[in-house]
Amino acid sequence: MSELNQRGWADPVDAAESLHAALTTVGIVLPSLAPDDASPELRLVELGRVRADVALELADVIRRAEHGMSARQQSGVPEASGGRP
């Protein structure tokens, strides 16, 4: 998870970079992924359009991650925090 600034807001540049890195590890590319410069006060990240097969692959990755978390929670195995609280 990305760090929040002192006001509790996520920086859209950091968020876009973090999401890009996470998606890259599972082989998913969102070509339009970038911070949205049109409305900086809203701190938006542009995800853009993707082909239907990429959307299905992304949904599958999320489902597998959700299933993995549920299995760990049920087994009582603590999740790795990566050094963050």
Side-chain angles (χ1 to χ4, degrees):
M1 182 179 233
S2 294
E3 296 293 324
L4 302 179
N5 69 16
Q6 292 176 348
R7 294 182 184 210
W9 300 337
D11 177 65
V13 173
D14 292 343
E17 290 173 355
S18 179
L19 182 56
H20 172 74
L23 291 173
T24 298
T25 65
V26 293
I28 296 176
V29 175
L30 300 181
S32 301
L33 178 62
D36 183 355
D37 296 327
S39 302
E41 69 281 355
L42 296 177
R43 297 172 304 284
L44 300 175
V45 174
E46 177 68 42
L47 301 180
R49 296 187 205 180
V50 297
R51 294 185 324 262
D53 62 312
V54 175
L56 290 172
E57 186 177 350
L58 181 56
D60 184 53
V61 167
I62 292 169
R63 284 188 196 102
R64 283 187 281 139
E66 179 181 22
H67 176 72
M69 287 190 321
S70 295
R72 282 192 299 273
Q73 289 168 347
Q74 290 174 2
S75 69
V77 175
E79 294 185 38
S81 66
R84 294 185 188 123

